[in-house]
Amino acid sequence: MKVKFNVIDALIVLLILAVAAVGIYMLADRGNKDAAGQTGKAVYVDMMLELSARDEAFTQIPKVGDAVSVGEKEKMEAVVTSVESVPAQSFGYDILKGGAAMNEVPGKFDVRIYMRAEGTESNKSVEVNKTAIHVGEQFAAFGKDWAGFGTMLAVDTQER
């Protein structure tokens, strides 16, 4: 019995080789990410987490020097370096003028908690406790006598 090799067979072989190449590339790239996190430059990571629409009483609870755990699964330990409160605002639509407007929310404040942690910086990310931090990402945080869920609005690094 003679085996014939046709165009369909060639396409199947090429498809198998392409899948294998993509798999090898992805495994190699994942290895580089792990190595970048481990061999990254040691830095101090300064972060600003905003907790929106909090009561006025909450603005007095976070204190400078308090220990804070940020994150849900992998906890990032940080220390509060500054706290500021600004009146909460929301977007509204002005039907009389026909445009969007910022409106102050009565009795509510946006609390901005500035923190510092030890982490690493690589070409790809800034990490604390092997957790990448991105501006705009939502994080849970808790400290002494308080907890909340907020948005990371600033991330900066300084050499140790």
Side-chain angles (χ1 to χ4, degrees), residues 47-69:
M47 308 171 276
M48 192 259 284
L49 185 71
E50 182 179 74
L51 306 174
S52 300
R54 298 294 173 161
D55 292 329
E56 186 174 1
F58 182 85
T59 63
Q60 305 301 317
I61 298 172
K63 303 277 188 239
V64 173
D66 284 352
V68 179
S69 291

Side-chain angles (χ1 to χ4, degrees), residues 31-90:
N32 288 341
K33 286 181 184 175
D34 291 341
Q38 292 171 356
T39 61
K41 179 174 63 171
V43 293
Y44 289 115
V45 180
D46 295 319
M47 308 171 276
M48 192 259 284
L49 185 71
E50 182 179 74
L51 306 174
S52 300
R54 298 294 173 161
D55 292 329
E56 186 174 1
F58 182 85
T59 63
Q60 305 301 317
I61 298 172
K63 303 277 188 239
V64 173
D66 284 352
V68 179
S69 291
V70 181
E72 295 173 12
K73 293 182 182 178
E74 296 294 328
K75 303 289 189 249
M76 298 178 278
E77 299 300 325
V79 175
V80 176
T81 57
S82 177
V83 178
E84 73 178 27
S85 302
V86 294
Q89 294 186 338
S90 67

Side-chain angles (χ1 to χ4, degrees), residues 54-137:
R54 298 294 173 161
D55 292 329
E56 186 174 1
F58 182 85
T59 63
Q60 305 301 317
I61 298 172
K63 303 277 188 239
V64 173
D66 284 352
V68 179
S69 291
V70 181
E72 295 173 12
K73 293 182 182 178
E74 296 294 328
K75 303 289 189 249
M76 298 178 278
E77 299 300 325
V79 175
V80 176
T81 57
S82 177
V83 178
E84 73 178 27
S85 302
V86 294
Q89 294 186 338
S90 67
F91 284 107
Y93 187 74
D94 186 347
I95 58 173
L96 298 176
K97 295 180 183 176
M102 290 294 287
N103 299 316
E104 191 171 306
V105 180
K108 299 291 183 179
F109 293 85
D110 292 340
V111 179
R112 296 177 181 156
I113 302 173
Y114 296 85
M115 301 168 284
R116 176 171 269 195
E118 293 182 357
T120 58
E121 178 182 31
S122 68
N123 292 339
K124 296 183 180 186
S125 66
V126 174
E127 297 179 353
V128 175
N129 195 21
K130 297 182 183 177
T131 301
I133 302 170
H134 305 286
V135 172
E137 193 171 0

